Amino acid sequence: MPPRRPRGRRFVALLAWAWLGPATALDIDSARLGPDDIVATQALVDDVLPRLPQVWRDGLPSDLVLQWRDDLPAHVAGRRVGDRILLPRHLLQAWQARDGMPADDASLRAVRRALVHELAHSYDRAQRDILSDDPRLRDLAGWQRSVFSIAGRRSRNDFAARVPDPYELERPSEFVAVNLEHFVLDATYGCRRPALHRHFAMHFRMPMTTEACAPGLPFLDVDAEAGDASLLALDPSRIYAVDYLLAEGNTQAMSRWGHSMLRLVVCAPGRAPGPECRFDLAHHRVLSFRAFVGDVQISGWRGLTGSYPSRLFLLPLDQVIEEYTRVELRGLQSIPLQLDQGEIASLVERAAQLHWSYDGRYYFISNNCAVETWKLLHDSVPRLARKPLASITPTGLLKKLERRGIADTRVLDDAGQARRLGYYFEPMSARYDALFSVAREALALPQQDVHAWLALSPAERATWLPQADLRASAALLVLENAALRRQQLLLRDELKRRYLGRDAPADIAQALQALRTWLGDTGFASRPSELLPEGYGLPQADERAIAAEEARSRAARLREQDGVLRSELERWLPADQRKVLQDIETNLGTIGARLRTLHATGAS
């Protein structure tokens, strides 16, 4: 039976194709296609090709042929074999049913994406992997440099969260094809992946126009002290400077060489960016890569084998100061980096991408905080990528930054001025020494320094407390609070080691399960993508509202559970450790009562 003759516009289109040939670089294999199939195929080609940049269209091979196939595997949306683009026939059937469908219907998007994907491969291969072998694009995509070989790259892409399609992580060529789908077809791509959008636009010599993006760069802002979490939209134009923030080392193996971070000097609302912004400490934020540990104490062996995730946190500066100077008794050096405003914006934009997408692995030597900080600087600021800055230690990275004129360590030359201007935050051990001197002089304490005083048992310290005058009592109150914080830190780690391992006592199984659940619920603080199960790239306005509400809800649940868990788990501490905690709290009560009495009597 002869094929049915097409009528009307379909007939005209078929004649145009048959007599004039396609006005593009893509032919159609008409074998086993009916007239309606040919007309629909040509309509698809005419729909997709004009969407491509002219440079892309001009760079396609001249002999490309589009063929519909019935024998492609079910999971394959298209293939490029030689000069042929092969697409599954069911996509043609979906395209033929387009009449009456919305222009952005999911099935129509799938057809367009399949063709654009294979045209992207065709362009890239025809131009000798001009995109997939581009070092800058690989930096942006997530195939990061190795710290041990500047010429080498990691074989794994760890930017695995909030991706448009997990297939992009297979290899750079697939990353290019998947992202060019969205570059061409998704109007929000420039907001979601701005650095990649700019790179593609520059490559194809296109104007960098995007839809109106949600303002600022989104970060999950977690306040551990308040037990709260919210979404912060950082405006790069409000960031006056970026400092290399070094937590000085201590005697612990995992901290001996310090900890690398970046401090964002954010100006207070209403203040014009300038040197005065350095005093707006409440608004400053810290970018810190950490081996997030939700269930066990960090072990050296697991740190060597990459058993911990490495993720980027945004933390309030005052929280970081409290953590290092008061609890860990480590100083903080804040060294300005010589970056212009465009480089600062690029760095913070890259940090936002890492914050929402990166799920790396922590290795004590090859992918620690110094390596992660170097990669952030390398990938976000092309000028720095051309300098040999790679280092596996925080102090080593600082020395290289200083040697290349990027970090200005002269701000530390005058110690007093460095403290006044916020370039150095001294460890509280120095203040504790001064406070202990006050108490030692007033009470004739036999201990020679604060370390010897805190090494006493709380019961031994308690014998001196009723004799203290007002100044000595105030000093001892601060020191006893320091003892409490350190004891709580030690007991937290003790609980993790003792009760979260395989040998946990069976009689506290219910409490331990509650603790494990609680720790699991805190995961969103290090992986904010958990708050948004759908979407890709940087969250936009609607997604931000959802993420903010979910973060508040989870933080509220954690606050409710926290007190119950603390009291429950303290019951399972060894009796001697439980007594230490109770004795410190008794001491605090004694000092508090002593201070009130001295104030009431006007004693000095």
Side-chain angles (χ1 to χ4, degrees), residues 99-413:
D99 290 344
M101 288 185 180
D104 62 346
D105 181 81
S107 61
L108 300 185
R109 288 201 307 270
V111 182
R112 292 188 180 102
R113 285 177 54 188
L115 181 53
V116 171
H117 187 101
E118 300 309 322
L119 288 170
H121 281 313
S122 299
Y123 170 81
D124 191 39
R125 294 177 190 173
Q127 302 303 315
R128 299 185 178 182
D129 301 328
I130 192 170
L131 286 172
S132 59
D133 212 21
D134 178 355
R136 176 60 180 158
L137 189 138
R138 290 195 178 195
D139 287 343
L140 296 175
W143 277 276
Q144 297 175 301
R145 300 277 186 176
S146 167
V147 69
F148 292 117
S149 172
I150 300 303
R153 290 185 182 271
R154 295 179 177 274
S155 60
R156 185 180 67 233
N157 187 331
D158 287 324
F159 287 68
R162 284 188 65 78
V163 296
D165 184 342
Y167 193 43
E168 73 173 15
L169 305 177
E170 287 290 317
R171 60 188 71 90
S173 60
E174 295 301 342
F175 184 94
V176 167
V178 168
N179 279 266
L180 285 180
E181 294 173 30
H182 292 78
F183 176 74
V184 167
L185 300 173
D186 183 358
T188 69
Y189 183 75
C191 301
R192 297 179 177 279
R193 287 187 162 176
L196 284 163
H197 181 271
R198 286 194 300 271
H199 190 83
F200 287 134
M202 186 177 299
H203 174 84
F204 291 121
R205 300 196 289 275
M206 294 174 59
M208 289 182 281
T209 57
T210 63
E211 293 283 295
C213 303
L217 295 166
F219 287 87
L220 183 64
D221 200 25
V222 179
D223 187 338
E225 289 298 315
D228 200 7
S230 60
L231 218 61
L232 175 67
L234 268 182
D235 179 357
S237 68
R238 305 291 307 155
I239 301 174
Y240 167 67
V242 175
D243 290 3
Y244 182 81
L245 189 63
L246 174 68
E248 295 171 343
N250 59 20
T251 57
Q252 296 182 15
M254 303 294 281
S255 308
R256 187 168 299 165
W257 292 278
H259 182 68
S260 295
M261 297 167 281
L262 295 176
R263 172 187 177 186
L264 306 180
V265 181
V266 183
C267 302
R271 189 191 296 281
E276 293 297 312
C277 295
R278 288 201 165 271
F279 298 104
D280 298 330
L281 299 186
H283 299 275
H284 295 187
R285 292 296 183 269
V286 174
L287 296 169
S288 177
F289 288 95
R290 300 187 173 203
F292 178 73
V293 184
D295 58 352
V296 291
Q297 166 77 352
I298 286 182
S299 75
W301 173 249
R302 294 188 71 189
L304 288 170
T305 59
S307 298
Y308 298 124
S310 176
R311 295 168 184 165
L312 180 61
F313 291 75
L314 183 80
L315 304 170
L317 175 63
D318 53 7
Q319 179 179 321
V320 174
I321 293 172
E322 169 78 15
E323 175 184 358
Y324 284 104
T325 66
R326 289 181 177 272
V327 178
E328 297 192 18
L329 302 182
R330 297 161 67 178
L332 285 170
Q333 302 175 19
S334 190
I335 314 298
L337 298 179
Q338 305 303 310
L339 302 175
D340 63 34
Q341 195 58 43
E343 291 171 335
I344 290 174
S346 179
L347 186 150
V348 179
E349 182 183 272
R350 177 66 170 184
Q353 180 191 0
L354 284 156
H355 186 63
W356 289 96
S357 299
Y358 183 65
D359 192 10
R361 309 307 301 171
Y362 174 87
Y363 289 88
F364 181 56
I365 295 176
S366 63
N367 204 52
N368 54 36
C369 61
V371 175
E372 293 279 31
T373 303
W374 163 69
K375 288 190 297 183
L376 173 55
L377 293 169
H378 176 283
D379 295 346
S380 60
V381 182
R383 174 174 65 91
L384 301 186
R386 296 189 289 270
K387 297 182 181 295
L389 300 174
S391 175
I392 62 171
T393 67
T395 51
L397 177 56
L398 176 58
K399 288 178 182 177
K400 290 191 174 185
L401 289 167
E402 180 184 13
R403 196 175 301 133
R404 300 297 184 279
I406 301 161
D408 185 5
T409 59
R410 291 175 300 174
V411 296
L412 300 178
D413 290 347

Side-chain angles (χ1 to χ4, degrees), residues 17 22 26-34 37-38 41-42 45 64-69 83-86 89 92:
W17 180 84
L26 185 58
D27 292 328
I28 299 172
D29 185 342
S30 60
R32 296 184 297 280
L33 292 182
D37 297 334
I38 295 174
T41 304
Q42 187 61 46
V45 172
L64 271 182
V65 178
L66 172 59
Q67 183 182 48
W68 299 104
R69 299 289 291 263
D83 61 355
R84 291 182 172 262
I85 290 176
L86 312 180
R89 189 178 290 269
L92 173 59

